Amino acid sequence: MGLNLSVARLGSVINNELSPRIAEAANVSTALWAGVLMCAFSGVSVLLVIAVDNRAKQQLPASARKAEDAVAQSIKLSDVKEFRMSFWLLALSAMVIYGCVVPFNSVASSLLIERDYFKTPPSECIRCGQGVYEGNTNCDAIDLDQCPSSPPFAWPLPMLSANCSIDIPTDQWACFVSASSSTLIDKTKINCDDSAWKNGPFTTIYCDKKAEAEARAATPMSIPYLISAIISPFLGLLVDRIGLRAFFLLLAPVTLVVAHTMLAASTLTPFVPLTLLGVAYSVYAAVLWPACPLVVEEHHIGTAYGVVTAAMVNTRDAASYFC
């Protein structure tokens, strides 16, 4: 179980590191297609596992195959009525924890960029043609004597009208305004995944700096999964040796609360709270899955795993949607 978790988490680390780089080198669609290819490879692997499993089953004695088929046929959805309260509490715990950790990873990039790697600069350094950059409408360089560097702060916003449509890069010339009294575009309208902005004459540097910030944010984003990939097998061994499953199941969410509070309410480097998050996530996973067989009958173990997984995945997806 621990090795399986390690491989799964390693895949998440690779995704966090490669996706921004593929998107920067090509575009977001290419990064998505790379993910599709990996999913296709995974599907082929599953088919191979099915073939191997069927072959192994055929090598079993006839009595063993018959007993296995009998157990499979006896599994019914109504089995869940026989599950004890301890199982449902475990399932509820899994829903809460995975509904917290996994959706966070979906928004972690944006959070870290705004918090640490592409922060809002001081008001006098926010926009070209204004404040420190008055008279400099293109902002081809940062005034480091009066403004912070980019990154970790955002590049000054361009002097582009908010009431102008930009469909191709050259449209920016028609949208350029020299008077700061006009309604100007804000950062939420600049889509650096679109070539009209990525290659635009007034937003190229802004988008390049943002891409650099996104690449920097990818490394700390990978910390929770990297920690899980490394320590999960050892945590599984530790739990098998010393027990204390209930204690660890309580310790993990408390640590998650501390980690998220540090991210939200402090200016501490993200490496510290994300390390705590990774440790908590790893401890919880190492305890959760081996604990399931302890709270259900042996012939209900498969159903129990299915119920926990379904509850966890649906909660995770619902939370990700609203995030």
Side-chain angles (χ1 to χ4, degrees), residues 135-280:
N136 182 358
T137 56
N138 196 19
C139 292
D140 53 355
I142 292 288
D143 186 343
L144 294 177
D145 292 332
Q146 303 181 68
C147 296
S149 61
S150 176
F153 286 85
W155 192 263
L157 293 167
M159 296 281 288
L160 295 176
S161 172
N163 303 314
C164 189
S165 177
I166 297 177
D167 299 314
I168 58 175
T170 53
D171 285 345
Q172 292 191 7
W173 290 107
C175 296
F176 175 76
V177 293
S178 57
S180 59
S181 58
S182 303
T183 302
L184 300 175
I185 196 167
D186 63 35
K187 64 181 181 180
T188 62
K189 302 299 182 182
I190 300 178
N191 179 13
C192 289
D193 295 326
D194 188 332
S195 62
W197 298 96
K198 185 176 182 179
N199 302 316
F202 297 103
T203 54
T204 296
I205 300 179
Y206 179 92
C207 288
D208 287 345
K209 294 296 183 179
K210 188 174 183 180
E212 182 182 342
E214 289 171 347
R216 291 188 181 186
T219 298
M221 269 179 59
S222 300
I223 287 176
Y225 288 127
L226 182 61
I227 289 176
S228 182
I230 294 172
I231 69 175
S232 286
F234 304 103
L235 286 173
L237 179 62
L238 177 66
V239 172
D240 288 342
R241 291 288 181 87
I242 68 173
L244 298 177
R245 292 177 177 84
F247 170 75
F248 286 123
L249 284 174
L250 176 62
L251 179 64
V254 171
T255 306
L256 286 175
V257 170
V258 172
H260 282 279
T261 301
M262 292 171 68
L263 280 170
S266 77
T267 57
L268 196 65
T269 171
F271 288 90
V272 174
L274 289 175
T275 297
L276 286 177
L277 194 150
V279 172

Side-chain angles (χ1 to χ4, degrees), residues 48-58 68:
L48 293 175
V49 169
I50 292 174
V52 171
D53 184 63
N54 288 335
R55 183 176 179 181
K57 185 177 179 180
Q58 294 302 319
E68 186 175 305

Side-chain angles (χ1 to χ4, degrees), residues 34-105:
V36 170
L37 290 176
M38 291 302 297
C39 289
F41 176 76
S42 176
V44 172
S45 299
V46 170
L47 294 177
L48 293 175
V49 169
I50 292 174
V52 171
D53 184 63
N54 288 335
R55 183 176 179 181
K57 185 177 179 180
Q58 294 302 319
Q59 294 176 352
L60 291 173
S63 58
R65 291 201 304 271
K66 186 176 181 180
E68 186 175 305
D69 291 338
V71 171
Q73 292 173 5
S74 68
I75 296 175
K76 303 182 294 295
L77 186 59
S78 58
D79 290 343
V80 298
K81 295 188 295 184
E82 301 178 24
F83 291 170
R84 291 174 288 184
M85 180 59 68
S86 55
F87 168 79
W88 293 112
L89 290 174
L90 195 64
L92 178 62
S93 173
M95 290 170 61
V96 173
I97 296 299
Y98 281 84
C100 169
V101 173
V102 179
F104 169 77
N105 194 57

Side-chain angles (χ1 to χ4, degrees), residues 292-322:
C292 286
L294 302 178
V295 293
V296 297
E297 300 295 334
E298 184 177 357
H299 60 284
H300 289 157
I301 291 176
T303 305
Y305 277 134
V307 170
V308 172
T309 302
M312 179 186 71
V313 169
N314 283 293
T315 303
R316 176 200 69 191
D317 292 346
S320 297
Y321 175 80
F322 288 107

